[in-house]
Amino acid sequence: MNNAFALKGNILYTPVCGRIEAAADSYLVCEEGKVAGVFDTLPEAFWGVPVEDFGSRLILPGLADLHVHASQYAYRGLGMDLELLDWLEQNAFPEEARFADLDYARAAWDIFVEELAKSATTRACIFATVHRPAALLLMEKLEQAGLAGFVGKVNMDRDCPDCLRETTGGSLEETRRWLEQSAGFGRVKPILTPRFVPSCTDELLAGLGALGARFNVPVQSHLSENLSEIRLVGRLCPSSRYYGDVYDRAGLFGGPRPAVMAHCIWSGEEERARMKEAGVFIAHCPQSNMNVSSGIAPVRLYLREGQRLGLGSDVAGGAHLSIFRAMTDAIQASKLRWRLVDDSLPALTLPEALYMATKGGGAFFGRVGSFEPGYEFDAVVLDDADLPTTRRCTLTERLERVVWLGDGRPCAKYVAGRKLF
Amino acid sequence: MNNAFALKGNILYTPVCGRIEAAADSYLVCEEGKVAGVFDTLPEAFWGVPVEDFGSRLILPGLADLHVHASQYAYRGLGMDLELLDWLEQNAFPEEARFADLDYARAAWDIFVEELAKSATTRACIFATVHRPAALLLMEKLEQAGLAGFVGKVNMDRDCPDCLRETTGGSLEETRRWLEQSAGFGRVKPILTPRFVPSCTDELLAGLGALGARFNVPVQSHLSENLSEIRLVGRLCPSSRYYGDVYDRAGLFGGPRPAVMAHCIWSGEEERARMKEAGVFIAHCPQSNMNVSSGIAPVRLYLREGQRLGLGSDVAGGAHLSIFRAMTDAIQASKLRWRLVDDSLPALTLPEALYMATKGGGAFFGRVGSFEPGYEFDAVVLDDADLPTTRRCTLTERLERVVWLGDGRPCAKYVAGRKLF
């Protein structure tokens, strides 16, 4: 049994949305970086493999963050009194310009990567900045830290400050070079990242679509986040039928190559039908949607429709990197939506939010986010000993408490079978 | 200069709602338990007093929690998939019944008091349970810990499980004995605590009103939290004009003796006018209002109307004891309300939320929650060194970050001039 080992503890995961499997005092076996299974006693085939005993601690699949801006980590929690378009102009763009300086980028990436490594997130879809060298440096640092996921060099050729605006040709050329240079990475891969329609011309989007096909890379962007933004897209692209249609015409909206779109708060029927058909992932970012006053996405509707759905921290629209926090934010937002907007759509439950945080979002990265056999071995171990209570809790209740009350930091973390700490 | 000392550091407070005073590298002087002033250099009158130098750390007024259920601390974060009335029945009432056992109460109060002591909260309005001995024990423990505020023995004589329901006469008699027994306390004082109208008969409320007048004690309760609850109150008290009117008729709605009412999400015009007139405090508990799907209180309207307003954690409707968390929850909820309910009421800003958390709520306890001369010396010192950033922040930005991102725990804490740690 080469490269096999087991973790022992209280194992929880969600093979099906809304149902938590809880295996008390059991073994989670890893073989060649993949889950071999969850067992109450170790099967004979694995006798003799190293076993790390985590006692009564909780073992969960690693969490997936489907939308995070690494360059914004430094100013999370600042400028929260602004709405989206003002916030971008006053807060995001001036900071992003600084990443032209690779020394500045290095210092900022170090902070971001260290915090991401300490978190329960094992996979992430990450926006870097427009700067190719900075994007490559971030990929290197994530890879060195043992993390996995996608990083995007951002594209912008209109409607942003001069210090960030690329020419259309320059943007495409830099993207091509970046895709070539990032071919050698292992678990950290490139993803096309047109910022959003307002900052990308049709020509740029078409060029990115061609690069996507040529290099076979997925896409991440923003979609239907804010009402002013949607009106702006309508003015900029008068022939598009809906916001997502602009990406779709450029070949950047799912289908052969996966796409993940952040927010989708105001997606209409036609947009949603096309997303379902093309398998576009929705990155639900509830805290950001509150902080920049965007609204609340109809997540229950998306679950009913069978949309592909995960959670995003959207730092720094969201102030918190923890996807546990995103879970409880999603539950709270869905309750307010039920009460204030549409009481035909019941609120999310914790087991549903956990599914979105693990298997739901994990699917963007392959077979990730569950402990079913064959899934990549992403696991985090959580200690709830510092959450005192007089109540005797079931395993599911302990999970609830650690999600709601913990600091989001595991005491051990594994990505694709490799132990980070 | 007897009993005088000074703290040195970066001092922030809100003498006026919406405006933060920031005094860099200054002295906050305490004399006889009260604030003598904030000075950039120490005035001659205070030369020679002990100075504790907190370097570049932030010094803020202690926070006020206007609404928290001590008995629910043990199960915060559990049962969050329920609405208010179900949550009470399945979660709150069975747990509260256990406080008849003083040993159980001791263990639970120890956890609560220890966590409250570690937090940035210096003053609180606390619900105990119906049990007189347990309420007295909680008061003792809070006093020993150096905390200040009000504790209420809860009253309930209808519409709750048998194990908790009091007779009307028994409830009043126990309340009278408790008020007599708690006369000797110092900074922890009794407050009348009819749970809410659905669990208190008119006769009980009238009797409590008489006790309030006789012992000159304030009142805390719940008001206009949930639409089903409001309909229930209408059925139970058909002659009342609005929910608060039921308390008012019993002499439990402000006027000569202060009253604080939690939630006030759905208060109509007549109720609000009466609250303003009688100086009733509103304890805004945004997280709880999300968690039990109640709605979002129109806090901007209350500020415009000049209502008296503070924040509450409402543990365990709210999962978090931190009033910093309540500040950011209040801001987020107000943004969603602006977007989804009424765009004539702009969202709260951080300086406004800080005012509510300090001087606004502090006013329920006297001259508390500011560093203006004569205010009681409640102060907390916050260290933001573990929140790395590449950005050079102003003092107000550092405050924003510590509120949004910190764990809510100060590194030093003073209540009425006494240092707790």
Side-chain angles (χ1 to χ4, degrees):
Chain A
M1 200 52 49
N2 285 327
N3 290 317
F5 63 90
L7 312 185
K8 188 159 183 277
N10 292 306
I11 300 164
L12 296 123
Y13 62 110
T14 53
V16 171
C17 184
R19 200 188 82 216
I20 291 178
E21 286 286 326
D25 208 21
S26 293
Y27 296 85
L28 172 66
V29 178
C30 176
E31 196 178 3
E32 303 290 351
K34 300 215 163 23
V35 175
V38 174
F39 309 101
D40 52 6
T41 55
L42 208 54
E44 202 174 325
F46 299 107
W47 287 3
V49 305
V51 174
E52 187 154 13
D53 190 343
F54 286 106
S56 73
R57 297 195 183 92
L58 306 177
I59 303 175
L60 301 184
L63 308 185
D65 186 343
L66 286 191
H67 188 65
V68 55
H69 295 262
S71 64
Q72 297 177 4
Y73 191 80
Y75 56 92
R76 64 199 180 103
L78 293 177
M80 287 300 179
D81 296 338
L82 303 168
E83 208 196 336
L84 176 65
L85 298 182
D86 296 329
W87 184 88
L88 282 173
E89 205 167 306
Q90 292 176 42
N91 218 357
F93 290 152
E95 177 78 15
E96 288 190 25
R98 304 183 67 179
F99 286 76
D101 172 358
L102 212 55
D103 286 332
Y104 185 82
R106 184 170 292 111
W109 296 154
D110 279 342
I111 294 174
F112 172 73
V113 172
E114 188 180 330
E115 297 294 312
L116 190 66
K118 284 185 205 158
S119 80
T121 299
T122 53
R123 310 268 167 164
C125 288
I126 304 171
F127 279 53
T129 62
V130 293
H131 314 93
R132 180 179 46 79
L136 284 167
L137 182 63
L138 176 58
M139 295 174 82
E140 254 176 62
K141 288 189 175 288
L142 289 162
E143 186 113 327
Q144 280 161 13
L147 294 161
F150 295 101
V151 170
K153 174 221 163 313
V154 174
N155 301 95
M156 290 195 273
D157 70 342
R158 73 171 166 199
D159 206 24
C160 60
D162 287 346
C163 55
L164 281 174
R165 188 167 51 239
E166 307 168 294
T167 63
T168 307
S171 184
L172 291 170
E173 174 58 20
E174 282 292 280
T175 304
R176 187 190 56 73
R177 288 182 62 191
W178 164 67
L179 290 172
E180 285 167 0
Q181 290 175 313
S182 57
F185 285 99
R187 301 203 169 279
V188 178
K189 294 176 190 306
I191 185 167
L192 290 175
T193 307
R195 184 179 206 112
F196 67 157
V197 170
S199 52
C200 300
T201 60
D202 289 353
E203 194 187 343
L204 176 59
L205 292 176
L208 291 173
L211 285 172
R214 177 172 154 201
F215 287 89
N216 194 29
V217 279
V219 181
Q220 63 181 350
S221 195
H222 299 87
L223 181 64
S224 298
E225 175 177 5
N226 175 292
L227 295 172
S228 324
E229 171 210 15
I230 294 170
R231 283 190 293 270
L232 176 60
V233 169
R235 286 197 302 276
L236 291 168
C237 310
S239 71
S240 64
R241 288 176 307 168
Y242 46 87
Y243 190 156
D245 190 38
V246 186
Y247 298 120
D248 205 8
R249 291 173 185 201
L252 297 167
F253 209 56
R257 289 172 301 284
V260 57
M261 293 286 151
H263 310 307
C264 307
I265 297 173
W266 305 100
S267 295
E269 214 165 309
E270 210 181 349
E271 185 164 278
R272 299 200 312 272
R274 179 62 188 140
M275 289 169 72
K276 172 88 163 77
E277 181 185 49
V280 171
F281 279 76
I282 297 166
H284 176 47
C285 306
Q287 191 184 142
S288 164
N289 300 161
M290 296 189 218
N291 287 342
V292 291
S293 303
S294 303
I296 305 174
V299 179
R300 169 66 60 202
L301 178 66
Y302 294 156
L303 288 175
R304 283 187 186 163
E305 289 179 345
Q307 302 281 3
R308 314 194 77 171
L309 195 59
L311 293 171
S313 67
D314 194 19
V315 161
H320 300 92
L321 199 57
S322 165
I323 295 297
F324 290 130
R325 173 72 188 254
M327 286 172 58
T328 61
D329 287 336
I331 293 169
Q332 292 176 328
S334 73
K335 288 178 173 186
L336 288 179
R337 199 177 192 286
W338 170 80
R339 169 64 72 201
L340 301 173
V341 180
D342 181 355
D343 67 5
S344 75
L345 295 175
L348 289 179
T349 63
L350 189 108
E352 290 168 334
L354 182 64
Y355 179 88
M356 289 166 59
T358 54
K359 194 173 173 180
F364 191 74
F365 306 91
R367 286 169 67 75
V368 168
S370 181
F371 291 149
E372 293 156 84
Y375 271 69
E376 295 202 53
F377 192 91
D378 284 21
V380 291
V381 183
L382 298 162
D383 191 344
D384 58 356
D386 61 342
L387 299 173
T389 179
T390 48
R391 195 179 268 204
R392 284 182 77 86
C393 291
T394 64
L395 283 186
T396 309
E397 286 176 330
R398 286 178 57 197
L399 171 70
E400 273 185 83
R401 295 186 86 238
V402 99
V403 169
W404 277 92
L405 310 176
D407 65 2
R409 293 189 170 173
C411 59
K413 178 168 175 174
Y414 300 78
V415 180
R418 179 179 159 198
K419 184 171 186 175
L420 269 60
F421 55 82
Chain B
M1 200 53 48
N2 285 327
N3 290 315
F5 62 90
L7 313 185
K8 187 159 183 278
N10 292 306
I11 299 165
L12 296 124
Y13 62 110
T14 54
V16 171
C17 185
R19 198 187 82 216
I20 291 178
E21 286 285 327
D25 206 21
S26 294
Y27 297 84
L28 173 66
V29 178
C30 177
E31 196 178 5
E32 303 290 351
K34 300 214 163 26
V35 175
V38 175
F39 309 102
D40 51 6
T41 54
L42 208 55
E44 200 174 326
F46 299 109
W47 286 3
V49 305
V51 174
E52 188 154 11
D53 190 343
F54 287 106
S56 73
R57 296 194 183 93
L58 306 177
I59 304 176
L60 301 184
L63 308 184
D65 187 343
L66 287 191
H67 187 65
V68 55
H69 295 263
S71 64
Q72 297 177 5
Y73 191 80
Y75 57 91
R76 66 201 180 103
L78 293 177
M80 287 299 177
D81 296 338
L82 303 167
E83 208 196 337
L84 175 64
L85 299 180
D86 295 330
W87 184 88
L88 282 173
E89 205 167 305
Q90 292 174 44
N91 217 358
F93 290 152
E95 177 78 16
E96 287 190 26
R98 303 184 68 179
F99 285 77
D101 172 359
L102 213 53
D103 286 334
Y104 185 82
R106 184 170 291 111
W109 295 153
D110 279 341
I111 293 175
F112 172 74
V113 173
E114 188 180 327
E115 298 292 312
L116 190 65
K118 285 185 203 157
S119 80
T121 299
T122 53
R123 310 270 164 161
C125 288
I126 304 171
F127 278 55
T129 63
V130 294
H131 314 94
R132 179 180 45 80
L136 285 167
L137 181 63
L138 176 57
M139 295 173 81
E140 254 176 64
K141 287 189 176 288
L142 288 162
E143 186 112 328
Q144 280 160 15
L147 294 162
F150 295 102
V151 170
K153 173 223 165 311
V154 175
N155 301 94
M156 289 196 272
D157 70 342
R158 72 172 168 200
D159 205 24
C160 61
D162 287 347
C163 56
L164 281 174
R165 188 167 50 240
E166 307 169 293
T167 63
T168 306
S171 184
L172 291 170
E173 174 58 17
E174 283 292 281
T175 302
R176 186 191 56 73
R177 287 182 62 193
W178 163 68
L179 290 171
E180 285 167 1
Q181 291 176 313
S182 57
F185 285 99
R187 302 204 169 278
V188 178
K189 295 177 187 303
I191 184 167
L192 290 176
T193 307
R195 185 182 205 108
F196 66 158
V197 169
S199 51
C200 299
T201 60
D202 289 353
E203 193 187 344
L204 175 59
L205 291 176
L208 291 174
L211 285 172
R214 178 171 153 200
F215 287 89
N216 192 31
V217 279
V219 181
Q220 63 181 351
S221 194
H222 298 88
L223 180 64
S224 299
E225 175 177 8
N226 175 295
L227 295 170
S228 324
E229 171 209 16
I230 293 169
R231 284 190 293 269
L232 177 60
V233 170
R235 287 198 301 278
L236 290 168
C237 310
S239 71
S240 64
R241 287 176 307 168
Y242 47 86
Y243 190 157
D245 190 39
V246 186
Y247 298 121
D248 205 10
R249 290 171 185 203
L252 297 167
F253 208 57
R257 288 171 302 285
V260 56
M261 293 286 151
H263 310 307
C264 307
I265 297 172
W266 304 100
S267 296
E269 214 165 310
E270 210 182 350
E271 186 164 276
R272 298 200 312 271
R274 179 62 187 139
M275 289 169 73
K276 172 87 163 77
E277 180 185 51
V280 172
F281 279 75
I282 297 167
H284 176 47
C285 306
Q287 189 182 144
S288 164
N289 299 161
M290 295 189 218
N291 287 342
V292 292
S293 302
S294 302
I296 305 174
V299 178
R300 170 65 58 201
L301 178 66
Y302 295 156
L303 287 175
R304 284 187 186 163
E305 289 179 345
Q307 302 281 1
R308 313 194 77 171
L309 194 59
L311 293 171
S313 66
D314 194 19
V315 161
H320 300 92
L321 198 57
S322 164
I323 295 297
F324 290 130
R325 173 71 188 252
M327 286 171 58
T328 61
D329 288 337
I331 293 169
Q332 292 177 328
S334 73
K335 288 178 173 186
L336 288 178
R337 197 176 194 287
W338 170 80
R339 170 63 73 201
L340 301 173
V341 180
D342 181 354
D343 66 6
S344 76
L345 295 174
L348 290 179
T349 63
L350 191 110
E352 291 168 335
L354 181 65
Y355 180 88
M356 289 166 60
T358 55
K359 193 172 174 180
F364 192 74
F365 306 91
R367 286 171 67 78
V368 169
S370 183
F371 290 149
E372 293 155 86
Y375 271 69
E376 296 202 51
F377 192 92
D378 284 20
V380 291
V381 183
L382 298 162
D383 192 343
D384 58 356
D386 61 342
L387 298 173
T389 179
T390 48
R391 196 179 266 206
R392 284 183 78 85
C393 291
T394 64
L395 283 185
T396 309
E397 286 176 330
R398 286 177 57 197
L399 171 70
E400 272 187 82
R401 297 185 85 238
V402 97
V403 169
W404 276 93
L405 311 176
D407 67 1
R409 292 188 171 173
C411 59
K413 179 169 175 174
Y414 300 79
V415 179
R418 180 179 159 198
K419 184 172 186 175
L420 269 61
F421 56 83

